[in-house]
Amino acid sequence: MNNFRFCSPTEFVFGRNTVKNTAQLIKKYGGTKVLILYGGRSAVKSGLLAEVEGNLQNEFIEYVKLGGVQPNPVDTLVYEGIELCRKEQVNFILAIGGGSVIDTAKAIAAGTPYAGDFWNFFERTVAINRALPVATILTIPAAGSEGSENTVITKTKGGLKRGTGSPALRPVFSIMDPVLTFTLPANQTAYGITDMMAHVMERYFTQTKEVEVTDRLCEAILLAVIQEAPRVLQEPDNYEARANIMWASTMAHNGICGVGREEDWATHGLEHELSALYGIAHGAGLAVMFPAWMQYVYTSGIDRFVQFAVRVWGIENVGDKKEIAGKGIQALKNFFISMGLPVDFAALGAKAADIDRLIETLKINSGGSLGNFCKLDMNDARAIYEIAAGLRGCN
Ligand code: NZQ
Ligand code: ZN
């Protein structure tokens, strides 16, 4: 096990009717002038935005609003938000929504007190040391941004989708009422489930030895998600199933699943190029890229893939290791298919002819290499895209 530091300071306020605590929590964390940030329609349609506004008004907390965050959020709204926060002297940001809204809130929070261009943080030429406090009311369990220190934004010019992070970006509190997720359509629910599983798997597939506690935590979260996923898809109003899925998304990405080990993140790098180019949902891209990545790298750490097959998918640990590992990968693929997700380029609407473009932006974003479980260069990345496109078989 490697040395580590782990600090997840977010106050999670979980359960039914927890939105009524919003104003009180904002006061607790020093907010006096708030930017309420939200997405396209869902928070308005559900009445959540109005409820939050009422709650703040009752407690005499001043606020301004900015809506219109789109999925795969872009830099233009971040610039708009920074300008608004400076003009209105905002000292607290409340994000109502999912990863896209929360990530935009984090970028605005870091950019407002910074004199330069906020994109420098995403170029990683400047570290984020200071940010306005961010809080969230989560409406879709997926990205885990409600508990993470990360933000992912796309620069409109050039279509570069990039992530950055800092402890300063961890939300001070996150309100998580599973009832708010009842309105999620099946496809968004499934994309979210895929993303949280991917966040666990990016950490599970490691070459670091002897990390049994972290391994078992990862497996427990995956097993719980695999159990609850069909339930939540069949019964979108099932509170308990929604609650378990919601908490899983946070546990998957607040960092606890990565302690003591080297993490991978190659698949996220490969996927971000797809969602940047086609505007598809991040979770849909991951359902295609994760099995493709696994098929390419599994021989670089066969025992880990056998462990995944046996402990997560219940494959019998008898016979050839490659065969057992292959069955685990196939089980994951079948699970994605059972949720109606795409598992190849064709189903995703991606084109093999675009692989050169994907590699071009991946090279810029990754600096030419990615991953740790197996160090990948751009030839490897091309091969994985080709597996996803059905142009070649697995290793
Ligand atoms: O815009 P509205 O109308 O709100 O609709 C949203 C959006 O269309 C809808 N939605 C959200 N809550 C709903 C709802 N619809 C009905 N009922 C509700 N309760 O869902 C759609 C997707 O929302 P979005 O926020 O885009 O989803 P998600 O949470 O999956 O976030 C995806 C973004 O997060 C990034 C992804 O790359 C992508 O840009 N990620 C961020 C990470 C992080 N900050 O740590 C890590 C992840 O790996 C990921 O890369
Ligand atoms: Zn993700």
Short mmCIF file of all heavy atoms in Angstrom, two decimals, residues 166-228:
data_model
loop_
_atom_site.label_atom_id
_atom_site.label_comp_id
_atom_site.label_asym_id
_atom_site.label_seq_id
_atom_site.Cartn_x
_atom_site.Cartn_y
_atom_site.Cartn_z
N SER A 166 -8.46 20.73 -7.25
CA SER A 166 -7.80 21.35 -6.10
C SER A 166 -8.65 21.06 -4.87
O SER A 166 -9.89 21.05 -4.95
CB SER A 166 -7.73 22.87 -6.31
OG SER A 166 -7.54 23.52 -5.08
N PRO A 167 -8.01 20.86 -3.71
CA PRO A 167 -8.80 20.71 -2.49
C PRO A 167 -9.72 21.91 -2.26
O PRO A 167 -10.79 21.77 -1.65
CB PRO A 167 -7.73 20.62 -1.39
CG PRO A 167 -6.52 20.10 -2.09
CD PRO A 167 -6.56 20.67 -3.49
N ALA A 168 -9.32 23.08 -2.78
CA ALA A 168 -10.14 24.28 -2.60
C ALA A 168 -11.50 24.16 -3.31
O ALA A 168 -12.41 24.96 -3.07
CB ALA A 168 -9.39 25.51 -3.11
N LEU A 169 -11.62 23.17 -4.21
CA LEU A 169 -12.88 23.04 -4.97
C LEU A 169 -13.84 22.01 -4.36
O LEU A 169 -14.94 21.83 -4.87
CB LEU A 169 -12.57 22.64 -6.41
CG LEU A 169 -11.77 23.65 -7.24
CD1 LEU A 169 -11.64 23.16 -8.68
CD2 LEU A 169 -12.43 25.03 -7.23
N ARG A 170 -13.43 21.37 -3.29
CA ARG A 170 -14.38 20.42 -2.67
C ARG A 170 -15.59 21.20 -2.16
O ARG A 170 -15.43 22.19 -1.42
CB ARG A 170 -13.73 19.73 -1.48
CG ARG A 170 -12.58 18.84 -1.84
CD ARG A 170 -12.90 17.41 -1.58
NE ARG A 170 -11.72 16.59 -1.75
CZ ARG A 170 -11.74 15.27 -1.96
NH1 ARG A 170 -12.90 14.66 -2.02
NH2 ARG A 170 -10.65 14.59 -2.10
N PRO A 171 -16.80 20.77 -2.51
CA PRO A 171 -17.96 21.49 -2.00
C PRO A 171 -17.98 21.53 -0.47
O PRO A 171 -17.57 20.56 0.18
CB PRO A 171 -19.13 20.66 -2.54
CG PRO A 171 -18.60 20.03 -3.78
CD PRO A 171 -17.15 19.73 -3.47
N VAL A 172 -18.43 22.66 0.09
CA VAL A 172 -18.50 22.74 1.55
C VAL A 172 -19.66 21.90 2.07
O VAL A 172 -19.56 21.28 3.13
CB VAL A 172 -18.58 24.20 2.07
CG1 VAL A 172 -17.26 24.93 1.85
CG2 VAL A 172 -19.73 24.97 1.44
N PHE A 173 -20.77 21.90 1.33
CA PHE A 173 -21.84 20.95 1.65
C PHE A 173 -22.52 20.51 0.37
O PHE A 173 -22.48 21.21 -0.64
CB PHE A 173 -22.86 21.53 2.65
CG PHE A 173 -23.75 22.62 2.12
CD1 PHE A 173 -24.89 22.34 1.37
CD2 PHE A 173 -23.48 23.96 2.42
CE1 PHE A 173 -25.73 23.37 0.91
CE2 PHE A 173 -24.30 24.99 1.96
CZ PHE A 173 -25.43 24.69 1.20
N SER A 174 -23.09 19.32 0.44
CA SER A 174 -23.89 18.82 -0.68
C SER A 174 -25.18 18.23 -0.12
O SER A 174 -25.15 17.35 0.75
CB SER A 174 -23.13 17.75 -1.47
OG SER A 174 -22.16 18.36 -2.30
N ILE A 175 -26.29 18.77 -0.63
CA ILE A 175 -27.60 18.26 -0.23
C ILE A 175 -27.99 17.18 -1.24
O ILE A 175 -27.93 17.40 -2.45
CB ILE A 175 -28.63 19.41 -0.20
CG1 ILE A 175 -28.29 20.36 0.95
CG2 ILE A 175 -30.05 18.86 -0.08
CD1 ILE A 175 -29.17 21.58 1.04
N MET A 176 -28.35 16.01 -0.72
CA MET A 176 -28.64 14.88 -1.60
C MET A 176 -29.98 14.25 -1.20
O MET A 176 -30.03 13.45 -0.26
CB MET A 176 -27.50 13.86 -1.51
CG MET A 176 -26.17 14.47 -1.91
SD MET A 176 -24.73 13.43 -1.58
CE MET A 176 -25.02 12.04 -2.65
N ASP A 177 -31.03 14.65 -1.90
CA ASP A 177 -32.35 14.07 -1.64
C ASP A 177 -32.68 13.15 -2.81
O ASP A 177 -32.93 13.61 -3.93
CB ASP A 177 -33.40 15.20 -1.53
CG ASP A 177 -34.79 14.65 -1.25
OD1 ASP A 177 -34.99 13.41 -1.40
OD2 ASP A 177 -35.69 15.44 -0.91
N PRO A 178 -32.71 11.83 -2.56
CA PRO A 178 -32.96 10.90 -3.65
C PRO A 178 -34.26 11.17 -4.41
O PRO A 178 -34.37 10.85 -5.60
CB PRO A 178 -33.01 9.54 -2.95
CG PRO A 178 -32.20 9.72 -1.71
CD PRO A 178 -32.43 11.15 -1.29
N VAL A 179 -35.24 11.78 -3.74
CA VAL A 179 -36.52 12.08 -4.40
C VAL A 179 -36.29 12.98 -5.62
O VAL A 179 -37.00 12.88 -6.62
CB VAL A 179 -37.51 12.72 -3.39
CG1 VAL A 179 -38.79 13.18 -4.09
CG2 VAL A 179 -37.83 11.74 -2.27
N LEU A 180 -35.29 13.85 -5.53
CA LEU A 180 -35.00 14.76 -6.65
C LEU A 180 -34.59 14.01 -7.90
O LEU A 180 -34.59 14.56 -9.00
CB LEU A 180 -33.89 15.76 -6.27
CG LEU A 180 -34.18 16.70 -5.11
CD1 LEU A 180 -32.95 17.55 -4.81
CD2 LEU A 180 -35.38 17.60 -5.42
N THR A 181 -34.19 12.75 -7.74
CA THR A 181 -33.72 11.99 -8.91
C THR A 181 -34.82 11.13 -9.55
O THR A 181 -34.58 10.47 -10.55
CB THR A 181 -32.51 11.08 -8.54
OG1 THR A 181 -32.95 10.03 -7.67
CG2 THR A 181 -31.42 11.88 -7.83
N PHE A 182 -36.03 11.17 -8.96
CA PHE A 182 -37.13 10.36 -9.50
C PHE A 182 -37.45 10.75 -10.95
O PHE A 182 -37.96 9.96 -11.72
CB PHE A 182 -38.43 10.54 -8.67
CG PHE A 182 -38.43 9.83 -7.34
CD1 PHE A 182 -37.31 9.17 -6.85
CD2 PHE A 182 -39.59 9.82 -6.56
CE1 PHE A 182 -37.33 8.53 -5.62
CE2 PHE A 182 -39.63 9.18 -5.33
CZ PHE A 182 -38.50 8.53 -4.86
N THR A 183 -37.20 12.01 -11.29
CA THR A 183 -37.59 12.50 -12.63
C THR A 183 -36.55 12.16 -13.70
O THR A 183 -36.76 12.47 -14.87
CB THR A 183 -37.77 14.03 -12.60
OG1 THR A 183 -36.58 14.61 -12.01
CG2 THR A 183 -38.98 14.44 -11.80
N LEU A 184 -35.45 11.54 -13.30
CA LEU A 184 -34.42 11.23 -14.30
C LEU A 184 -34.93 10.18 -15.29
O LEU A 184 -35.42 9.13 -14.88
CB LEU A 184 -33.17 10.66 -13.61
CG LEU A 184 -32.22 11.68 -13.00
CD1 LEU A 184 -31.16 10.96 -12.17
CD2 LEU A 184 -31.56 12.52 -14.09
N PRO A 185 -34.77 10.46 -16.57
CA PRO A 185 -35.13 9.43 -17.55
C PRO A 185 -34.17 8.23 -17.47
O PRO A 185 -33.06 8.35 -16.93
CB PRO A 185 -35.00 10.15 -18.90
CG PRO A 185 -34.17 11.35 -18.64
CD PRO A 185 -34.29 11.69 -17.18
N ALA A 186 -34.61 7.09 -18.04
CA ALA A 186 -33.82 5.86 -17.92
C ALA A 186 -32.41 6.03 -18.49
O ALA A 186 -31.43 5.56 -17.92
CB ALA A 186 -34.54 4.72 -18.63
N ASN A 187 -32.30 6.75 -19.62
CA ASN A 187 -30.96 6.84 -20.22
C ASN A 187 -30.01 7.63 -19.32
O ASN A 187 -28.88 7.22 -19.09
CB ASN A 187 -31.02 7.41 -21.65
CG ASN A 187 -31.56 8.82 -21.72
OD1 ASN A 187 -32.13 9.34 -20.76
ND2 ASN A 187 -31.40 9.47 -22.86
N GLN A 188 -30.48 8.74 -18.74
CA GLN A 188 -29.60 9.52 -17.86
C GLN A 188 -29.24 8.71 -16.61
O GLN A 188 -28.12 8.79 -16.10
CB GLN A 188 -30.26 10.84 -17.45
CG GLN A 188 -30.41 11.86 -18.58
CD GLN A 188 -29.08 12.37 -19.10
OE1 GLN A 188 -28.02 12.17 -18.50
NE2 GLN A 188 -29.10 13.04 -20.26
N THR A 189 -30.21 7.94 -16.11
CA THR A 189 -29.93 7.09 -14.94
C THR A 189 -28.82 6.10 -15.28
O THR A 189 -27.87 5.91 -14.51
CB THR A 189 -31.22 6.33 -14.53
OG1 THR A 189 -32.25 7.29 -14.27
CG2 THR A 189 -31.00 5.46 -13.31
N ALA A 190 -28.93 5.48 -16.45
CA ALA A 190 -27.94 4.48 -16.86
C ALA A 190 -26.58 5.12 -17.14
O ALA A 190 -25.54 4.54 -16.79
CB ALA A 190 -28.43 3.74 -18.09
N TYR A 191 -26.56 6.31 -17.73
CA TYR A 191 -25.26 6.98 -17.96
C TYR A 191 -24.58 7.25 -16.62
O TYR A 191 -23.38 7.09 -16.47
CB TYR A 191 -25.45 8.33 -18.68
CG TYR A 191 -26.07 8.28 -20.03
CD1 TYR A 191 -26.83 9.36 -20.52
CD2 TYR A 191 -25.92 7.16 -20.86
CE1 TYR A 191 -27.42 9.33 -21.77
CE2 TYR A 191 -26.52 7.14 -22.12
CZ TYR A 191 -27.28 8.22 -22.56
OH TYR A 191 -27.86 8.19 -23.79
N GLY A 192 -25.39 7.67 -15.66
CA GLY A 192 -24.84 7.99 -14.34
C GLY A 192 -24.27 6.76 -13.67
O GLY A 192 -23.18 6.80 -13.07
N ILE A 193 -25.00 5.65 -13.77
CA ILE A 193 -24.54 4.39 -13.16
C ILE A 193 -23.21 3.97 -13.79
O ILE A 193 -22.27 3.55 -13.10
CB ILE A 193 -25.63 3.30 -13.31
CG1 ILE A 193 -26.79 3.61 -12.36
CG2 ILE A 193 -25.06 1.90 -13.08
CD1 ILE A 193 -28.05 2.81 -12.59
N THR A 194 -23.11 4.13 -15.10
CA THR A 194 -21.87 3.76 -15.79
C THR A 194 -20.72 4.64 -15.31
O THR A 194 -19.60 4.16 -15.07
CB THR A 194 -22.05 3.94 -17.31
OG1 THR A 194 -23.19 3.19 -17.70
CG2 THR A 194 -20.84 3.44 -18.08
N ASP A 195 -20.98 5.93 -15.18
CA ASP A 195 -19.92 6.84 -14.77
C ASP A 195 -19.41 6.50 -13.37
O ASP A 195 -18.21 6.45 -13.11
CB ASP A 195 -20.43 8.29 -14.82
CG ASP A 195 -19.30 9.31 -14.76
OD1 ASP A 195 -18.14 8.92 -14.98
OD2 ASP A 195 -19.58 10.50 -14.51
N MET A 196 -20.34 6.22 -12.44
CA MET A 196 -19.87 5.92 -11.07
C MET A 196 -19.09 4.61 -11.04
O MET A 196 -18.08 4.49 -10.35
CB MET A 196 -21.01 5.97 -10.05
CG MET A 196 -22.11 4.98 -10.21
SD MET A 196 -23.49 5.29 -9.07
CE MET A 196 -24.42 6.56 -9.93
N MET A 197 -19.54 3.62 -11.84
CA MET A 197 -18.77 2.37 -11.92
C MET A 197 -17.38 2.64 -12.49
O MET A 197 -16.38 2.09 -12.02
CB MET A 197 -19.51 1.35 -12.79
CG MET A 197 -20.78 0.83 -12.16
SD MET A 197 -21.68 -0.31 -13.24
CE MET A 197 -20.68 -1.80 -13.07
N ALA A 198 -17.34 3.51 -13.49
CA ALA A 198 -16.04 3.84 -14.12
C ALA A 198 -15.12 4.52 -13.11
O ALA A 198 -13.92 4.26 -13.09
CB ALA A 198 -16.27 4.74 -15.33
N HIS A 199 -15.69 5.37 -12.24
CA HIS A 199 -14.85 6.05 -11.25
C HIS A 199 -14.23 5.05 -10.26
O HIS A 199 -13.11 5.22 -9.81
CB HIS A 199 -15.66 7.11 -10.50
CG HIS A 199 -16.09 8.22 -11.40
ND1 HIS A 199 -17.13 9.05 -11.14
CD2 HIS A 199 -15.60 8.60 -12.61
CE1 HIS A 199 -17.27 9.91 -12.12
NE2 HIS A 199 -16.36 9.65 -13.04
N VAL A 200 -14.98 4.00 -9.95
CA VAL A 200 -14.42 2.95 -9.10
C VAL A 200 -13.36 2.18 -9.89
O VAL A 200 -12.25 1.93 -9.40
CB VAL A 200 -15.53 2.00 -8.61
CG1 VAL A 200 -14.91 0.85 -7.81
CG2 VAL A 200 -16.55 2.73 -7.76
N MET A 201 -13.68 1.82 -11.12
CA MET A 201 -12.77 0.95 -11.90
C MET A 201 -11.47 1.66 -12.26
O MET A 201 -10.43 1.02 -12.34
CB MET A 201 -13.49 0.43 -13.14
CG MET A 201 -14.65 -0.51 -12.78
SD MET A 201 -15.43 -1.35 -14.17
CE MET A 201 -16.15 -0.01 -15.09
N GLU A 202 -11.52 2.97 -12.47
CA GLU A 202 -10.27 3.71 -12.75
C GLU A 202 -9.30 3.58 -11.58
O GLU A 202 -8.10 3.73 -11.72
CB GLU A 202 -10.56 5.20 -12.97
CG GLU A 202 -11.39 5.53 -14.21
CD GLU A 202 -10.58 5.53 -15.50
OE1 GLU A 202 -9.47 4.99 -15.52
OE2 GLU A 202 -11.10 6.07 -16.50
N ARG A 203 -9.84 3.33 -10.40
CA ARG A 203 -9.01 3.20 -9.21
C ARG A 203 -8.71 1.74 -8.88
O ARG A 203 -7.68 1.42 -8.29
CB ARG A 203 -9.71 3.88 -8.01
CG ARG A 203 -9.84 5.38 -8.22
CD ARG A 203 -10.79 5.99 -7.20
NE ARG A 203 -10.65 7.43 -7.14
CZ ARG A 203 -11.53 8.31 -7.65
NH1 ARG A 203 -12.62 7.87 -8.27
NH2 ARG A 203 -11.34 9.60 -7.55
N TYR A 204 -9.64 0.88 -9.24
CA TYR A 204 -9.50 -0.56 -8.93
C TYR A 204 -8.40 -1.20 -9.77
O TYR A 204 -7.66 -2.05 -9.28
CB TYR A 204 -10.84 -1.23 -9.22
CG TYR A 204 -10.94 -2.67 -8.80
CD1 TYR A 204 -11.09 -3.02 -7.47
CD2 TYR A 204 -10.90 -3.70 -9.76
CE1 TYR A 204 -11.20 -4.35 -7.08
CE2 TYR A 204 -11.02 -5.03 -9.38
CZ TYR A 204 -11.17 -5.34 -8.05
OH TYR A 204 -11.28 -6.66 -7.66
N PHE A 205 -8.29 -0.76 -11.03
CA PHE A 205 -7.28 -1.36 -11.90
C PHE A 205 -5.96 -0.64 -11.69
O PHE A 205 -5.69 0.42 -12.25
CB PHE A 205 -7.76 -1.36 -13.36
CG PHE A 205 -8.84 -2.37 -13.55
CD1 PHE A 205 -10.18 -2.01 -13.51
CD2 PHE A 205 -8.51 -3.71 -13.65
CE1 PHE A 205 -11.17 -2.96 -13.61
CE2 PHE A 205 -9.51 -4.68 -13.75
CZ PHE A 205 -10.84 -4.30 -13.73
N THR A 206 -5.16 -1.23 -10.81
CA THR A 206 -3.91 -0.63 -10.35
C THR A 206 -2.86 -1.72 -10.29
O THR A 206 -3.19 -2.90 -10.17
CB THR A 206 -4.12 -0.02 -8.94
OG1 THR A 206 -2.90 0.55 -8.49
CG2 THR A 206 -4.56 -1.07 -7.91
N GLN A 207 -1.62 -1.31 -10.37
CA GLN A 207 -0.53 -2.29 -10.20
C GLN A 207 -0.03 -2.27 -8.75
O GLN A 207 0.84 -3.06 -8.39
CB GLN A 207 0.63 -1.97 -11.15
CG GLN A 207 0.26 -2.01 -12.62
CD GLN A 207 0.00 -3.42 -13.16
OE1 GLN A 207 0.13 -4.41 -12.45
NE2 GLN A 207 -0.39 -3.50 -14.42
N THR A 208 -0.57 -1.35 -7.92
CA THR A 208 -0.14 -1.30 -6.52
C THR A 208 -0.63 -2.55 -5.80
O THR A 208 -1.80 -2.91 -5.90
CB THR A 208 -0.72 -0.04 -5.83
OG1 THR A 208 -0.46 1.08 -6.64
CG2 THR A 208 -0.12 0.16 -4.46
N LYS A 209 0.28 -3.16 -5.08
CA LYS A 209 -0.08 -4.43 -4.39
C LYS A 209 -0.58 -4.16 -2.97
O LYS A 209 -0.32 -3.11 -2.40
CB LYS A 209 1.15 -5.33 -4.29
CG LYS A 209 1.84 -5.62 -5.61
CD LYS A 209 1.05 -6.61 -6.44
CE LYS A 209 1.73 -6.89 -7.78
NZ LYS A 209 0.82 -6.76 -8.91
N GLU A 210 -1.28 -5.13 -2.44
CA GLU A 210 -1.66 -5.15 -1.02
C GLU A 210 -2.50 -3.94 -0.61
O GLU A 210 -2.16 -3.22 0.32
CB GLU A 210 -0.40 -5.22 -0.12
CG GLU A 210 0.57 -6.34 -0.45
CD GLU A 210 0.13 -7.70 0.10
OE1 GLU A 210 -0.89 -7.74 0.81
OE2 GLU A 210 0.79 -8.70 -0.21
N VAL A 211 -3.57 -3.72 -1.32
CA VAL A 211 -4.50 -2.64 -0.94
C VAL A 211 -5.88 -3.25 -0.72
O VAL A 211 -6.88 -2.85 -1.30
CB VAL A 211 -4.55 -1.51 -2.02
CG1 VAL A 211 -3.49 -0.47 -1.79
CG2 VAL A 211 -4.44 -2.08 -3.43
N GLU A 212 -5.89 -4.22 0.16
CA GLU A 212 -7.08 -5.05 0.34
C GLU A 212 -8.31 -4.25 0.79
O GLU A 212 -9.41 -4.47 0.31
CB GLU A 212 -6.76 -6.17 1.35
CG GLU A 212 -7.77 -7.29 1.40
CD GLU A 212 -7.90 -8.08 0.09
OE1 GLU A 212 -7.01 -8.01 -0.77
OE2 GLU A 212 -8.94 -8.74 -0.06
N VAL A 213 -8.10 -3.31 1.72
CA VAL A 213 -9.26 -2.56 2.22
C VAL A 213 -9.87 -1.74 1.08
O VAL A 213 -11.09 -1.75 0.87
CB VAL A 213 -8.85 -1.63 3.39
CG1 VAL A 213 -10.01 -0.74 3.80
CG2 VAL A 213 -8.40 -2.46 4.58
N THR A 214 -9.01 -1.07 0.34
CA THR A 214 -9.51 -0.26 -0.77
C THR A 214 -10.13 -1.16 -1.85
O THR A 214 -11.17 -0.82 -2.42
CB THR A 214 -8.38 0.60 -1.35
OG1 THR A 214 -7.70 1.24 -0.28
CG2 THR A 214 -8.92 1.67 -2.27
N ASP A 215 -9.52 -2.29 -2.12
CA ASP A 215 -10.10 -3.24 -3.08
C ASP A 215 -11.52 -3.63 -2.67
O ASP A 215 -12.44 -3.62 -3.48
CB ASP A 215 -9.28 -4.54 -3.10
CG ASP A 215 -8.13 -4.48 -4.08
OD1 ASP A 215 -7.93 -3.42 -4.70
OD2 ASP A 215 -7.42 -5.50 -4.22
N ARG A 216 -11.64 -4.00 -1.40
CA ARG A 216 -12.94 -4.48 -0.94
C ARG A 216 -13.99 -3.38 -0.95
O ARG A 216 -15.17 -3.63 -1.19
CB ARG A 216 -12.81 -5.06 0.48
CG ARG A 216 -11.91 -6.27 0.58
CD ARG A 216 -12.60 -7.53 0.10
NE ARG A 216 -11.75 -8.69 0.22
CZ ARG A 216 -12.09 -9.92 -0.16
NH1 ARG A 216 -13.29 -10.13 -0.69
NH2 ARG A 216 -11.28 -10.93 -0.03
N LEU A 217 -13.56 -2.14 -0.66
CA LEU A 217 -14.49 -1.01 -0.74
C LEU A 217 -14.99 -0.85 -2.18
O LEU A 217 -16.18 -0.66 -2.43
CB LEU A 217 -13.77 0.29 -0.35
CG LEU A 217 -13.84 0.73 1.09
CD1 LEU A 217 -12.97 1.95 1.30
CD2 LEU A 217 -15.28 1.04 1.49
N CYS A 218 -14.04 -0.90 -3.12
CA CYS A 218 -14.41 -0.77 -4.54
C CYS A 218 -15.39 -1.86 -4.94
O CYS A 218 -16.40 -1.60 -5.60
CB CYS A 218 -13.16 -0.91 -5.43
SG CYS A 218 -12.04 0.48 -5.33
N GLU A 219 -15.07 -3.08 -4.54
CA GLU A 219 -15.94 -4.21 -4.93
C GLU A 219 -17.32 -4.07 -4.31
O GLU A 219 -18.33 -4.34 -4.96
CB GLU A 219 -15.28 -5.53 -4.50
CG GLU A 219 -14.06 -5.85 -5.34
CD GLU A 219 -13.07 -6.80 -4.65
OE1 GLU A 219 -13.33 -7.24 -3.51
OE2 GLU A 219 -12.00 -7.06 -5.26
N ALA A 220 -17.36 -3.60 -3.06
CA ALA A 220 -18.66 -3.42 -2.39
C ALA A 220 -19.52 -2.40 -3.14
O ALA A 220 -20.72 -2.60 -3.35
CB ALA A 220 -18.44 -2.98 -0.95
N ILE A 221 -18.90 -1.31 -3.57
CA ILE A 221 -19.66 -0.28 -4.27
C ILE A 221 -20.14 -0.82 -5.62
O ILE A 221 -21.31 -0.64 -5.99
CB ILE A 221 -18.83 1.01 -4.41
CG1 ILE A 221 -18.59 1.63 -3.03
CG2 ILE A 221 -19.52 2.02 -5.33
CD1 ILE A 221 -17.54 2.70 -2.98
N LEU A 222 -19.26 -1.51 -6.32
CA LEU A 222 -19.67 -2.07 -7.62
C LEU A 222 -20.81 -3.08 -7.43
O LEU A 222 -21.80 -3.05 -8.17
CB LEU A 222 -18.48 -2.75 -8.31
CG LEU A 222 -17.39 -1.80 -8.83
CD1 LEU A 222 -16.19 -2.59 -9.34
CD2 LEU A 222 -17.92 -0.90 -9.94
N LEU A 223 -20.69 -3.95 -6.42
CA LEU A 223 -21.73 -4.95 -6.19
C LEU A 223 -23.07 -4.30 -5.85
O LEU A 223 -24.12 -4.72 -6.32
CB LEU A 223 -21.30 -5.92 -5.07
CG LEU A 223 -20.22 -6.94 -5.48
CD1 LEU A 223 -19.60 -7.60 -4.26
CD2 LEU A 223 -20.81 -8.00 -6.41
N ALA A 224 -23.01 -3.25 -5.03
CA ALA A 224 -24.25 -2.56 -4.66
C ALA A 224 -24.89 -1.91 -5.89
O ALA A 224 -26.11 -1.97 -6.09
CB ALA A 224 -23.96 -1.51 -3.58
N VAL A 225 -24.07 -1.30 -6.72
CA VAL A 225 -24.59 -0.63 -7.92
C VAL A 225 -25.19 -1.66 -8.88
O VAL A 225 -26.28 -1.46 -9.43
CB VAL A 225 -23.47 0.20 -8.60
CG1 VAL A 225 -23.92 0.67 -9.97
CG2 VAL A 225 -23.07 1.38 -7.74
N ILE A 226 -24.48 -2.79 -9.05
CA ILE A 226 -24.97 -3.84 -9.96
C ILE A 226 -26.31 -4.38 -9.47
O ILE A 226 -27.21 -4.67 -10.24
CB ILE A 226 -23.91 -4.97 -10.09
CG1 ILE A 226 -22.68 -4.43 -10.82
CG2 ILE A 226 -24.48 -6.19 -10.81
CD1 ILE A 226 -21.42 -5.29 -10.64
N GLN A 227 -26.46 -4.46 -8.15
CA GLN A 227 -27.72 -4.94 -7.58
C GLN A 227 -28.85 -3.92 -7.73
O GLN A 227 -29.97 -4.27 -8.07
CB GLN A 227 -27.51 -5.24 -6.09
CG GLN A 227 -28.79 -5.67 -5.37
CD GLN A 227 -28.55 -5.76 -3.87
OE1 GLN A 227 -27.74 -6.58 -3.42
NE2 GLN A 227 -29.22 -4.93 -3.11
N GLU A 228 -28.54 -2.66 -7.49
CA GLU A 228 -29.60 -1.63 -7.46
C GLU A 228 -29.97 -1.12 -8.85
O GLU A 228 -31.06 -0.59 -9.04
CB GLU A 228 -29.15 -0.44 -6.59
CG GLU A 228 -28.95 -0.77 -5.12
CD GLU A 228 -30.20 -1.30 -4.45
OE1 GLU A 228 -31.14 -0.52 -4.29
OE2 GLU A 228 -30.23 -2.49 -4.10
#
